[in-house]
Amino acid sequence: MQKGNGGLIAIIVILVAVIAFMLGRGDTELPFLSGDEDAAETDGANETEETTAQAEPAPPPTPARRAVRVGLDGPGSTACRSGALVANLPMTGGDNDFLAVREAPSSRATQVDKLGQGHPIIICDQNDAGTWIGIVYTNDNSLFRGRDRCGVMDRVPATRAYDGQCQSGWVYAKYVQVAG
């Protein structure tokens, strides 16, 4: 009878040692005690994939949409600052002869439109560095003809996001020329 008890005691000692070892490693779950048979029977493949995925640098995140603001010149000022044109594009004669309009002031932001050389725009906002301009524009080049259908000449009581009927977005300042 003692031989049988010796074997049982040896198994208990080994189990206690394994549990103590796993708790010492910082594992919060012991798969063989959780009732999760799939977790207890891993072959290490998932662990290798996760380690590899974590080792590779993640691509920079796409900047979140940033609304173009109007009324930056203070209470009672016009919504936007001045008229301008798309200018100085590197005209190569290819498919890249346009200025990208983006959702935020960043080249990683989602492109929402394309504007060609000479396209009229209204300057309303800019980023802190002054490298990106928040604009309002129309797709039919009618911005400077007739009435102010975009509401950019309206007086505004405070700074706010542009919410008019025209398009808005961000363009790289290098390719904007203030209209004289």
Side-chain angles (χ1 to χ4, degrees):
M1 183 144 171
Q2 272 196 339
K3 279 188 175 183
N5 286 342
L8 183 59
I9 290 173
I11 292 173
I12 291 172
V13 168
I14 291 172
L15 281 176
V16 168
V18 169
I19 291 171
F21 172 75
M22 292 186 82
L23 288 174
R25 282 188 3 189
D27 291 340
T28 56
E29 286 188 36
L30 301 175
F32 53 86
L33 294 179
S34 70
D36 186 358
E37 290 82 20
D38 292 338
E41 296 177 12
T42 63
D43 63 358
N46 291 339
E47 186 176 337
T48 304
E49 290 171 9
E50 289 174 13
T51 305
T52 303
Q54 290 173 358
E56 296 175 14
T62 301
R65 177 163 169 53
R66 178 173 159 189
V68 172
R69 299 171 300 170
V70 296
L72 294 176
D73 292 330
S77 65
T78 57
C80 294
R81 295 180 169 170
S82 62
L85 299 171
V86 172
N88 307 316
L89 292 176
M91 304 304 283
T92 62
D95 291 338
N96 295 326
D97 293 347
F98 65 87
L99 177 60
V101 180
R102 300 191 177 272
E103 286 186 341
S106 170
S107 58
R108 292 187 326 268
T110 302
Q111 180 179 316
V112 295
D113 210 345
K114 299 176 182 181
L115 301 178
Q117 183 80 7
H119 196 104
I121 57 177
I122 299 292
I123 298 173
C124 301
D125 198 352
Q126 70 181 27
N127 67 340
D128 291 339
T131 53
W132 288 86
I133 305 291
I135 64 167
V136 170
Y137 64 100
T138 62
N139 281 330
D140 61 5
N141 287 345
S142 67
L143 193 60
F144 297 137
R145 292 186 226 138
R147 62 183 178 83
D148 176 23
R149 73 175 199 210
C150 296
V152 294
M153 298 308 294
D154 296 343
R155 302 233 176 253
V156 294
T159 300
R160 61 174 171 79
Y162 176 72
D163 61 357
Q165 67 182 23
C166 296
Q167 289 83 8
S168 65
W170 293 88
V171 296
Y172 194 59
K174 178 180 178 179
Y175 302 111
V176 173
Q177 181 179 357
V178 177

